Amino acid sequence: MSSSSKQQKKQGDKEALQKMRKITTSLLSRTDAAPFREPVDWRGLGLSDYPQIITKMMDLGTVKRKMDRGQYDNAAQCAADIRLIWDNCKTYNMEGSDFYILADGLSRRFEERYKKICDQHDVGEDTSAASGASSTTPKSAKSSSRAATNQVNSVPTGPLSLDAKIGLATKIFRLSGQELGHAINILELRCPQALEKCGTDSRPGAP
């Protein structure tokens, strides 16, 4: 590769990363992306199996900090970390759960915007393969995830015990204002009667 070609490639990578920064900033500003802004507080949530299932954790805040420090050489490296956020969530949570659906939707929106960058710049990856990268999770990971998260996503069939009510109240108390708003939005969609009186409750998953 000639020096001029190298310079053009370097400039193209820089422009692509600037566009990735805009995507990351946009994702961080989304209310529904609040669970993905910071690392999963698996200790605070009591998810002791999380680091066993998710071996490489990632979140949008970490992606932005890596960009600020210049730790990405190109857009493809940044995209790989963003995809890891959605993949981690979909690996740990049961398919069809609220967190799984949320991650899947954000993943699709990200891929739509990232494809435009790939169309404009040579990011070093096949865009047709890239578009499906975030939706593929190994079957073995899925199996272990479902086995490990049956408890996390189980729904009691009868009245909550006193211990369960105390545990639920403790977890709700730990939520930030944005997280609480997200939880209320989910309740409005999935179980509106729960906002009027005590109803059934599902134990939390993890973004």
Side-chain angles (χ1 to χ4, degrees):
M1 183 182 290
S2 65
S3 58
S4 61
S5 296
K6 289 181 179 179
Q7 186 63 30
Q8 289 178 350
K9 179 66 167 62
K10 186 176 181 180
Q11 181 62 29
D13 288 338
K14 182 179 180 180
E15 292 176 0
L17 277 171
Q18 288 175 342
K19 293 176 181 178
M20 290 298 292
R21 180 183 291 276
K22 290 182 179 179
I23 292 178
T24 304
T25 301
S26 175
L27 286 169
L28 281 165
S29 68
R30 292 180 63 98
T31 303
D32 56 355
F36 305 100
R37 289 174 184 161
E38 297 297 336
V40 173
D41 182 14
W42 57 271
R43 290 188 179 88
L45 293 171
L47 307 176
S48 58
D49 61 346
Y50 188 82
Q52 299 171 12
I53 297 171
I54 306 302
T55 56
K56 185 178 179 182
M57 302 181 195
M58 188 55 59
D59 61 275
L60 292 170
T62 298
V63 170
K64 184 178 184 302
R65 286 188 286 273
K66 289 179 71 172
M67 294 186 77
D68 292 341
R69 296 167 185 163
Q71 292 181 253
Y72 295 121
D73 294 327
N74 52 55
Q77 292 177 358
C78 181
D81 272 354
I82 293 177
R83 286 174 178 148
L84 183 60
I85 300 170
W86 322 132
D87 288 344
N88 284 350
C89 181
K90 293 165 71 175
T91 296
Y92 188 80
N93 294 281
M94 291 288 288
E95 186 173 354
S97 66
D98 292 321
F99 278 130
Y100 187 103
I101 293 171
L102 182 60
D104 192 51
L106 289 170
S107 171
R108 293 176 187 278
R109 293 185 182 93
F110 166 73
E111 293 299 339
E112 289 173 359
R113 297 185 65 178
Y114 180 59
K115 187 178 184 305
K116 293 179 181 179
I117 295 177
C118 293
D119 291 342
Q120 297 169 356
H121 302 277
D122 178 12
V123 298
E125 68 173 298
D126 181 357
T127 56
S128 61
S131 63
S134 186
S135 61
T136 303
T137 306
K139 288 185 178 180
S140 59
K142 286 284 187 183
S143 298
S144 61
S145 166
R146 289 174 181 175
T149 56
N150 278 335
Q151 292 180 324
V152 173
N153 293 292
S154 62
V155 179
T157 57
L160 291 176
S161 66
L162 178 59
D163 287 343
K165 290 179 180 179
I166 293 174
L168 175 61
T170 300
K171 290 182 174 66
I172 291 175
F173 181 75
R174 290 173 179 163
L175 296 177
S176 67
Q178 290 179 329
E179 290 168 338
L180 184 58
H182 178 65
I184 291 174
N185 287 337
I186 291 174
L187 282 173
E188 287 178 340
L189 291 173
R190 302 291 293 273
C191 189
Q193 65 270 27
L195 297 178
E196 300 175 4
K197 61 180 181 179
C198 293
T200 58
D201 171 68
S202 58
R203 294 166 65 184

